[in-house]
Amino acid sequence: MTHASIHAALRRVLSTAALLLALPLAAQAAPVAQGAQDKDLSAAQAAERESRGDQLLVLSYHDVRDDVARKGDPDAYAVSTQNFAAHLDWLSGHGYRPVSLSDVIKASRGELKLPPKAVLLTFDDGLRSIYTHVFPLLRAYNYPALMAVVTGWVDLPKDQKVDYGPRMFTHDDFVTWDQLREMQASGLVEISSHSDNLHRGITSNPQGNTMPAAITREWSVKAQRYETEAEYLDRVRRDLTASKTKIERELGVSPHSVVWPYAAYNSQTNDIADKLGMSVTFDLEGRHQTIGRDLHGLARLLVFDNPTIQDLTFELRHDTELDGVRALQVDLDYVYDKDPAQQARNLDKLIERIKQVGPSHVFLQAFADPDGNGSADALYFPNRQLPMRADLFNRVAWQIKTRARAKVFAWLPVLGYELPDKALDAQLAIKSSNTAETHRLNPFDPRTREIVAQIYEDLAISGYTEGLLFHDDAFLRDDELRGIAPAAPAARTQALIDFTQELTRAAGKWRPKLITVRNLFAAPVLQPKSESWFAQDLAAFNNAYDYTAVMAMPWMENSRDPQRWMDQLVERVKASPRGLSHTIFELQTVDWRDKSKPIPAEQLKRMARRLQADGARHLAWYPDDFIADRPSTADAREIMSARGFPYLEK
């Protein structure tokens, strides 16, 4: 994957409409740099918080040129000189106070206090325009800035080119060491590493997809294997060491920060940077953060599509409370086929449907459940515990992100795994009085916790995901595991929450800032006393996870009046703390009681409109039958599109 294609993927996800979806999700992620969230803040609250002395806004720019088209320039990350100057003027006129990276580091140590409405300007890639167009304006406004340079591009031989997007870039398109020295000598410009040669894609799976080099274990076509963890980390370490060495040799200073290409990093790469003295890293999502001791993953607002002052103001001020999720839950079992040609056709159908429907998110099955019993027989990614049905999840997830412009969350069981070691599986299985219950493993046994944590870690290292959807198998009846599980329903609920948070941390080793969603049966919402039957509770879930996906499925609950049942569910959610802002209403598209008969599209439309009229912000549905086009693409677009009025704020 070239610089252009990876950045194009980012642009699609962070297009103006999609950004309205991406910001609140990124802002609610954990773990992150302390306070790097806009969680539950209205526009007025966000503005008030800006005025405190511990807040930081970081803006991320790339190229600045005179001839950028007002809209639709071939380089979406280019900003016109006129608009950039207007941004500086607006920031200055509205009380923003420019700070340097050194100021931020000192503030994190308690050595100084940031001014109210502090702003840090960053410029990625080391393009020549930071010297010819940006630097004169920084001097005019006396604004400090951080320049993140790809050292391999500064040294680019004159006979080599870089595929930067609209055209091939040459040595003359990148800043020189002499120019960097001049800017650094002014006292306004600090230099950050943007890697030496990681600003590119590498082969990430046997199908030939490419992903950012800094977070991907490379697939070797020749050796027919992935890099080992040690090989991958050594490659990153050597690259970052080379970048640091060049900066020290040419500029006489050691960089304190690394801006990971494409904001693609993990805790392991950050640890490498820390050991090299670069303890500050940056992200490309979010708007503001509270500065604390940890300066990893600082939120940045990516400036793209040549925004005017009005555009920039909107991105800084719009009310994230009005944003919403539209999600399709997709069975990867329907993509998989033993025939590679048929599997490719299935994938094309899925991608085309998602492109046409336009959801904000796809909850993508990462486990194989061909017998439909709710537990995993195998997995769709390389792992240490279960058979791999096919190395498919990474390919499909990355295709959805780059071709269909949706965020992908991995959908995995919590307890429902059928271990290949049948003796061990029998030892760990929860013995239920109801033989129809989903096969589940005992979460209080350390062996279960280790097995499932390894599955989640292996998912994260195998490929792209921005979040986790915890399957509906995470429940405990009051007659299960007596003497092992806590007797009190709330204690059992919390025990399962604690376990899922362990799994999030295991995956977070390789995928930082994962968004978490947990499936919840409707019964504990409608009848709170039934928590004892499930060990599930809406208020506890909405406090623990970014979202709760309540199974708003009246036909599954044998309701005689589906709409009345749904109205009651909404009222219960409204009454729960943070209910509407954190609850996804997950509709059913088929009636499983009647041979999976489709729910009439008009009935789904009425139900969705009623939910929105009652204040529901987030909708999803399951299943999404992309093979048979049910519900039809036209109907799906009307209900689940995240692109326009009246579904989401514009």
Side-chain angles (χ1 to χ4, degrees):
M1 177 172 286
T2 63
H3 164 93
S5 58
I6 295 181
H7 260 310
L10 280 172
R11 185 179 74 247
R12 291 168 188 142
V13 174
L14 295 173
S15 62
T16 302
L19 184 58
L20 303 182
L21 301 166
L23 283 172
L25 294 183
Q28 295 166 14
V32 295
Q34 181 184 1
Q37 301 113 326
D38 283 325
K39 197 169 189 176
D40 294 334
L41 288 180
S42 68
Q45 289 170 318
E48 183 276 331
R49 193 181 67 173
E50 277 183 356
S51 299
R52 289 162 33 190
D54 57 354
Q55 299 297 295
L56 178 67
L57 165 68
V58 187
L59 298 179
S60 170
Y61 291 90
H62 288 76
D63 202 3
V64 176
R65 310 192 319 261
D66 295 336
D67 58 349
V68 180
R70 187 172 182 273
K71 292 294 178 183
D73 193 89
D75 183 359
Y77 300 96
V79 175
S80 70
T81 310
Q82 181 178 11
N83 279 353
F84 175 63
H87 295 175
L88 298 184
D89 193 61
W90 185 88
L91 291 168
S92 178
H94 285 78
Y96 285 88
R97 303 280 296 279
V99 296
S100 66
L101 178 63
S102 295
D103 293 332
V104 175
I105 293 173
K106 289 176 182 177
S108 75
R109 296 170 178 166
E111 297 171 8
L112 63 77
K113 190 176 180 65
L114 291 179
K117 302 181 78 170
V119 58
L120 171 64
L121 304 181
T122 67
F123 297 84
D124 292 2
D125 298 349
L127 301 175
R128 184 70 60 90
S129 65
I130 65 174
Y131 177 75
T132 59
H133 290 66
V134 173
F135 185 45
L137 287 168
L138 295 179
R139 286 189 297 190
Y141 282 88
N142 198 34
Y143 262 36
L146 181 69
M147 307 294 188
V149 298
V150 180
T151 50
W153 291 353
V154 180
D155 288 330
L156 189 70
K158 290 187 177 294
D159 61 346
Q160 290 187 19
K161 297 181 179 180
V162 172
D163 184 356
Y164 198 79
R167 62 178 175 82
M168 302 299 290
F169 275 24
T170 69
H171 173 87
D172 293 339
D173 290 298
F174 298 106
V175 71
T176 68
W177 289 115
D178 284 340
Q179 291 165 345
L180 288 172
R181 278 188 282 271
E182 180 185 341
M183 290 189 289
Q184 180 182 265
S186 72
L188 291 175
V189 174
E190 295 176 76
I191 307 302
S192 173
S193 170
H194 203 31
S195 84
D196 186 60
N197 188 33
L198 294 176
H199 208 303
R200 59 192 176 92
I202 60 175
T203 305
S204 63
N205 55 43
Q207 296 88 359
N209 288 120
T210 56
M211 290 180 61
I215 59 167
T216 303
R217 287 191 186 178
E218 187 169 18
W219 170 263
S220 171
V221 176
K222 182 178 180 180
Q224 288 292 292
R225 70 173 181 87
Y226 289 98
E227 277 180 311
T228 66
E229 179 176 332
E231 290 170 337
Y232 155 66
L233 293 176
D234 184 60
R235 172 169 57 82
V236 174
R237 185 180 297 106
R238 284 186 282 107
D239 182 278
L240 212 58
T241 300
S243 178
K244 176 188 176 183
T245 299
K246 290 180 180 180
I247 292 172
E248 288 177 334
R249 182 186 68 221
E250 298 290 343
L251 304 180
V253 297
S254 181
H256 298 297
S257 64
V258 56
V259 177
W260 293 105
Y262 321 112
Y265 63 92
N266 54 53
S267 64
Q268 306 306 293
T269 58
N270 278 346
D271 185 58
I272 292 171
D274 286 346
K275 288 180 170 61
L276 291 171
M278 293 176 278
S279 58
V280 185
T281 62
F282 293 87
D283 210 321
L284 276 176
E285 293 188 346
R287 293 185 291 188
H288 302 87
Q289 56 252 301
T290 302
I291 294 302
R293 297 290 297 180
D294 186 0
L295 295 180
H296 291 112
L298 293 178
R300 292 192 296 169
L301 181 61
L302 177 61
V303 180
F304 69 101
D305 203 18
N306 196 20
T308 63
I309 285 302
Q310 291 79 10
D311 297 330
L312 181 64
T313 303
F314 175 79
E315 296 299 348
L316 292 174
R317 298 296 189 190
H318 84 272
D319 191 348
T320 59
E321 279 288 278
L322 299 179
D323 296 341
V325 170
R326 297 293 180 270
L328 306 181
Q329 189 164 342
V330 172
D331 286 298
L332 199 48
D333 287 335
Y334 295 160
V335 175
Y336 170 78
D337 197 282
K338 291 181 179 179
D339 177 3
Q342 182 59 52
Q343 184 170 279
R345 289 192 289 271
N346 293 344
L347 176 56
D348 286 341
K349 276 191 175 183
L350 173 63
I351 299 302
E352 185 59 29
R353 177 173 170 85
I354 296 172
K355 286 171 63 177
Q356 292 297 321
V357 173
S360 60
H361 294 74
V362 172
F363 299 154
L364 183 65
Q365 181 189 33
F367 63 101
D369 181 23
D371 54 11
N373 67 354
S375 56
D377 301 276
L379 300 171
Y380 283 114
F381 53 89
N383 73 96
R384 289 167 277 179
Q385 296 296 340
L386 267 68
M388 182 174 69
R389 193 182 195 194
D391 192 351
L392 192 58
F393 179 83
N394 176 48
R395 173 172 172 75
V396 177
W398 191 244
Q399 292 285 302
I400 291 172
K401 174 184 174 70
T402 56
R403 292 173 55 195
R405 310 180 186 186
K407 287 178 175 286
V408 178
F409 287 8
W411 162 31
L412 267 178
V414 176
L415 306 176
Y417 295 95
E418 300 178 30
L419 302 179
D421 183 337
K422 296 306 178 186
L424 179 61
D425 188 72
Q427 291 175 29
L428 296 180
I430 294 174
K431 308 303 188 293
S432 178
S433 59
N434 184 352
T435 57
E437 290 288 18
T438 300
H439 175 81
R440 288 159 294 139
L441 305 180
N442 174 8
F444 300 99
D445 192 303
R447 293 172 294 178
T448 295
R449 302 178 91 89
E450 181 181 8
I451 288 167
V452 182
Q454 286 184 0
I455 288 172
Y456 274 76
E457 181 181 342
D458 291 343
L459 164 81
I461 189 57
S462 71
Y464 158 75
T465 184
E466 296 191 44
L468 301 171
L469 170 65
F470 295 113
H471 189 37
D472 60 19
D473 66 313
F475 63 89
L476 277 176
R477 306 298 192 195
D478 57 359
D479 61 349
E480 295 175 337
L481 299 179
R482 284 181 175 170
I484 299 174
R492 282 186 284 119
T493 298
Q494 188 59 49
L496 287 179
I497 288 173
D498 292 344
F499 182 36
T500 60
Q501 291 175 336
E502 283 183 30
L503 302 180
T504 302
R505 288 191 291 272
K509 175 181 177 181
W510 302 108
R511 300 289 165 193
K513 299 189 178 183
L514 286 167
I515 308 304
T516 54
V517 185
R518 173 90 180 267
N519 270 141
L520 172 70
F521 289 105
V525 182
L526 293 169
Q527 302 169 13
K529 290 185 179 180
S530 69
E531 181 181 2
S532 63
W533 283 84
F534 297 95
Q536 296 182 350
D537 176 75
L538 178 61
F541 278 23
N542 277 341
N543 187 56
Y545 307 106
D546 295 292
Y547 295 96
T548 300
V550 64
M551 298 162 69
M553 302 178 176
W555 292 273
M556 187 174 75
E557 301 293 339
N558 294 307
S559 171
R560 295 182 179 179
D561 187 341
Q563 187 58 66
R564 184 169 181 273
W565 182 94
M566 191 71 76
D567 291 344
Q568 292 174 338
L569 182 67
V570 174
E571 290 306 309
R572 289 287 188 177
V573 170
K574 282 183 180 179
S576 181
R578 309 187 332 157
L580 291 178
S581 64
H582 288 264
T583 300
I584 300 171
F585 290 85
E586 186 159 17
L587 308 175
Q588 65 183 108
T589 61
V590 299
D591 187 346
W592 291 287
R593 303 170 305 173
D594 187 9
K595 300 178 181 179
S596 295
K597 178 182 177 181
I599 306 299
E602 289 305 317
Q603 192 164 10
L604 284 173
K605 290 178 188 178
R606 287 195 299 272
M607 197 165 278
R609 294 189 191 108
R610 181 75 161 263
L611 281 166
Q612 291 174 272
D614 285 344
R617 296 176 188 167
H618 314 298
L619 299 179
W621 71 26
Y622 176 78
D624 187 80
D625 190 346
F626 58 92
I627 298 294
D629 193 39
R630 287 199 304 256
S632 75
T633 297
D635 292 326
R637 185 186 304 118
E638 187 172 341
I639 299 171
M640 286 295 169
S641 176
R643 290 177 182 155
F645 180 85
Y647 302 106
L648 298 175
E649 179 191 23
K650 293 295 287 182

